[in-house]
């Protein structure tokens, strides 16, 4: 069910770089977002912060929580609450699979990116387990070694 997603969509709006550092992403899913009128306008302007966001499955539905979408400047009394829970649009089988994966201890759902696809806001969510401090250091060392090897190959070539 989970598909390979492009590394960087052409119309990327927001990215959660901290998620790749703090979690080992096991599987990714593309989900639609249920947004109000002023929310989608703010998202199109790039006024969204995924840093502390997470998703939760409740009663057979998935919700994106703690994601900050700034109020729209031209919005009036119809403006939205910046931190409200937003429903994720996924197939029932995907929700069941995500729910089963998150039953295990230490597994969480984090938003990785928000982008526009055919005019609709989509969020790429990742099911991952938290990294320990030594895992984070090991990842940084590996990235540095890869960078050094690429640099050496570039100089020789």
């Amino acid at each position: 069910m989970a598909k390979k997603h492009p590394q960087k969509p052409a119309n990327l709006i927001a990215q959660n770089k901290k998620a790749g550092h703090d979690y080992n992403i096991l599987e990714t899913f593309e989900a639609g977002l249920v947004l109000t009128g002023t929310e989608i306008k703010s998202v199109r302007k790039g006024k969204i912060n995924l840093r502390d966001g997470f998703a939760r499955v409740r009663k057979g539905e998935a919700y994106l929580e703690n994601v900050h979408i700034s109020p729209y400047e031209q919005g009036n009394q119809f403006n939205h609450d910046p931190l409200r829970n937003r429903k994720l649009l996924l197939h029932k089988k995907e929700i069941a699979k995500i729910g089963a994966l998150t039953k295990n201890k230490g597994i969480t759902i984090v938003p990785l990116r928000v982008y526009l696809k055919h005019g609709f806001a989509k969020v790429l969510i990742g099911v991952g387990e938290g990294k320990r401090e030594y895992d984070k250091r090991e990842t940084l060392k590996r990235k540095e070694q890869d960078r050094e090897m690429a640099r050496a190959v570039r100089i020789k070539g």
Side-chain angles (χ1 to χ4, degrees):
M1 213 56 169
K3 301 172 231 157
K4 286 281 185 186
H5 294 284
Q7 286 299 92
K8 285 196 177 183
N11 39 12
L12 183 68
I13 293 172
Q15 189 168 1
N16 188 356
K17 293 181 181 177
K18 191 177 177 195
H21 184 293
D22 292 342
Y23 299 97
N24 283 326
I25 304 300
L26 308 172
E27 206 165 348
T28 60
F29 297 90
E30 181 182 76
L33 270 171
V34 177
L35 300 172
T36 64
T38 56
E39 282 177 328
I40 189 65
K41 289 179 180 185
S42 288
V43 166
R44 285 191 174 129
K45 283 190 157 194
K47 306 283 186 175
I48 183 169
N49 184 359
L50 301 174
R51 177 158 293 179
D52 297 325
F54 62 95
R56 185 178 287 164
V57 177
R58 276 186 274 140
K59 298 180 185 176
E61 294 181 340
Y63 292 93
L64 190 62
E65 300 181 8
N66 210 22
V67 170
H68 188 275
I69 297 178
S70 298
Y72 186 58
E73 290 99 26
Q74 282 79 37
N76 49 19
Q77 76 264 22
F78 299 113
N79 242 334
H80 60 277
D81 175 27
L83 285 174
R84 79 175 184 90
N85 297 342
R86 293 161 184 95
K87 190 174 178 181
L88 293 174
L89 302 174
L90 291 159
H91 292 282
K92 278 185 181 179
K93 288 181 181 178
E94 289 176 329
I95 293 173
K97 187 174 185 178
I98 291 170
L101 286 171
T102 56
K103 293 281 188 230
N104 300 332
K105 188 178 180 192
I107 305 290
T108 187
I109 312 165
V110 290
L112 303 174
R113 337 190 144 93
V114 173
Y115 52 93
L116 292 176
K117 186 175 181 181
H118 306 295
F120 295 103
K122 302 286 184 179
V123 63
L124 184 67
I125 57 173
V127 178
E129 61 182 342
K131 286 184 183 177
R132 304 262 192 265
E133 197 61 39
Y134 55 85
D135 290 336
K136 293 178 189 178
R137 284 193 292 268
E138 187 179 313
T139 304
L140 289 174
K141 283 180 191 173
R142 197 174 324 118
K143 280 185 182 178
E144 182 62 33
Q145 289 172 350
D146 292 344
R147 219 176 285 128
E148 300 245 347
M149 286 188 346
R151 193 176 300 131
V153 169
R154 218 175 340 159
I155 291 171
K156 281 187 176 181

